[in-house]
Amino acid sequence: MLFISPIFLYLSLNKDILEKKSFWTVLGFRSEGLLQAFVMPLFLTMILHLGPLALLVHNGLLKLYTEPMYWVNNVKDLIWLRSQIVAPISEEFSFRSCMLPVLLQCFSPIKAVFICPIFFGAAHFHHLLEKLKNNVPVKFAVIESCVQFIYTTIFGVYSAYLFYRTGHFISIFIAHSFCNHMGVPDFEEFMRYKGTEKYVIGSLFVIGLVSWCFLLNPLTEPKWYYND
């Protein structure tokens, strides 16, 4: 699909657009605003994960990132490469770079941003087969897959909005890779904390979410990324 998707985009794209912008620009590959597109969406996504990052600091796992062997071992791990590199590239390219421009020709931006992730979320139902092969009971496999559909669809809305606002592929790739690395927040670990620790970390979860809501539009302002 990584190689087929651009063909559908090219055939579906209004030719007037290609007279104004190159096909690479439509896909989100351009140099203007590249640094901002890497740094600012990553910072915004880290703000959203302020609570989970606080958990990593508290349990000491954040120190692992300073160990060279941690990165050496990960680069040799095909599962890590799939989650951090291959999946973000292939999924964001197909479901955002190639799909969103087509939808934006048919729907208003807000509708396109919410329709696009439905396909992205549905594509994750293939994990249901993986769970069934691993002898997970059908009921639990279906529930887990539905939860994953909801979670990935919500992320897809965020990613589609980032791409619509920044017009850069790098912004959605880095956000996707970071979210894959962080995974779903470990609320089970959070609930094990007591007293002040629990209140402080819990407050950071809330502060992160509220700050992200306030910063979402200012940090994705199209003019930062030369996205006209």
Side-chain angles (χ1 to χ4, degrees):
M1 286 309 300
L2 186 65
F3 298 102
I4 296 174
S5 298
I7 299 174
F8 285 99
L9 173 60
Y10 185 80
L11 294 176
S12 305
L13 207 57
N14 189 316
K15 295 304 177 272
D16 292 339
I17 295 175
L18 294 177
E19 291 178 2
K20 300 175 183 178
K21 300 289 182 182
S22 72
F23 189 58
W24 290 108
T25 298
V26 174
L27 289 169
F29 297 101
R30 55 193 179 87
S31 58
E32 301 92 343
L34 184 62
L35 180 61
Q36 300 93 301
F38 181 91
V39 175
M40 294 170 73
L42 174 60
F43 174 73
L44 185 64
T45 309
M46 291 177 73
I47 290 294
L48 179 61
H49 286 82
L50 192 60
L53 285 171
L55 286 176
L56 290 178
V57 172
H58 190 270
N59 60 28
L61 288 178
L62 201 65
K63 294 179 181 178
L64 280 175
Y65 303 151
T66 62
E67 298 290 337
M69 287 308 299
Y70 169 80
W71 299 104
V72 171
N73 290 332
N74 278 334
V75 169
K76 296 177 181 177
D77 184 357
L78 290 179
I79 300 299
W80 186 88
L81 290 173
R82 180 191 70 173
S83 299
Q84 303 304 132
I85 307 295
V86 178
I89 288 177
S90 59
E91 292 177 357
E92 293 304 324
F93 186 75
S94 295
F95 289 98
R96 250 68 73 178
S97 289
C98 294
M99 185 179 291
L100 193 60
V102 175
L103 293 174
L104 284 169
Q105 295 182 125
C106 312
F107 302 97
S108 66
I110 192 66
K111 287 181 180 178
V113 163
F114 277 92
I115 292 172
C116 187
I118 296 174
F119 297 97
F120 176 65
H124 284 78
F125 269 114
H126 74 87
H127 288 294
L128 175 62
L129 298 177
E130 185 179 335
K131 291 180 175 64
L132 293 176
K133 287 180 181 178
N134 291 328
N135 297 319
V136 175
V138 175
K139 179 181 178 180
F140 291 108
V142 171
I143 291 173
E144 287 178 3
S145 296
C146 288
V147 170
Q148 188 171 24
F149 166 77
I150 294 170
Y151 181 78
T152 52
T153 300
I154 291 173
F155 168 78
V157 172
Y158 174 50
S159 183
Y161 188 73
L162 278 180
F163 187 62
Y164 167 66
R165 298 275 285 180
T166 68
H168 269 284
F169 176 80
I170 190 65
S171 64
I172 52 179
F173 165 75
I174 197 68
H176 192 146
S177 184
F178 182 81
C179 287
N180 275 6
H181 175 71
M182 295 301 295
V184 180
D186 192 348
F187 291 110
E188 187 177 341
E189 178 185 352
F190 167 70
M191 294 304 295
R192 289 199 294 265
Y193 290 112
K194 305 292 182 182
T196 305
E197 291 179 337
K198 189 172 186 178
Y199 287 114
V200 170
I201 295 175
S203 297
L204 291 174
F205 270 93
V206 176
I207 291 171
L209 179 60
V210 173
S211 299
W212 177 81
C213 291
F214 277 103
L215 293 172
L216 179 60
N217 277 340
L219 291 187
T220 60
E221 176 61 42
K223 67 181 181 182
W224 284 108
Y225 310 93
Y226 303 97
N227 181 26
D228 57 358

